[in-house]
């Protein structure tokens, strides 16, 4: 009985030059992939650090804007008080102004959330069968 040819017989027929060239290609591709992945990891690290810094700065901006808004309401209340408006009327007006401002901001948040639609990106990457 004859034995079927094994893969060992194939490797014996390959020349050492072909094997070493193939090994060099594998090593160079591994090196290239490692450098690309390292660059991607470095970019991600820089992005996360920048995002954390941006978040901290935005918290500071929000705090200052909130303080400014409250000072504007307080200034308007003090001016109204100096002109003889009732304290209850001033407080109700300030509450109504704050409520309307919050409603406007909530409306803007809703519009922004509607515009944050990733379906265009998904359709570009994975087109639906209707297209």
């Amino acid at each position: 009985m004859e034995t079927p040819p094994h893969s060992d017989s194939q490797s014996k027929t390959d020349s050492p030059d072909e094997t070493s060239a193939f090994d060099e290609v594998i090593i160079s591709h591994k090196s290239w992939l490692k450098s690309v992945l390292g660059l991607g990891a470095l970019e991600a690290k820089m992005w996360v650090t920048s995002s954390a810094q941006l978040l901290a700065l935005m918290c500071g901006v929000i705090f200052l804007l909130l303080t400014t808004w409250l000072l504007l309401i307080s200034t308007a209340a003090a001016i109204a008080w100096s002109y003889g408006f009732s304290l209850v009327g001033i407080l109700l007006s300030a509450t109504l102004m704050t409520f309307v401002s919050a409603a406007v901001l909530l409306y803007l948040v809703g519009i922004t959330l509607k515009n944050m639609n990733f379906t265009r990106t998904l359709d570009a990457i994975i087109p639906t069968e209707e297209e």
Side-chain angles (χ1 to χ4, degrees), residues 75-101:
T75 303
I79 291 171
W81 177 260
S82 70
Y83 282 108
F85 286 93
S86 71
L87 185 59
V88 173
I90 293 170
L91 291 176
L92 285 175
S93 298
T95 303
L96 181 65
M97 183 185 300
T98 304
F99 180 73
V100 168
S101 300

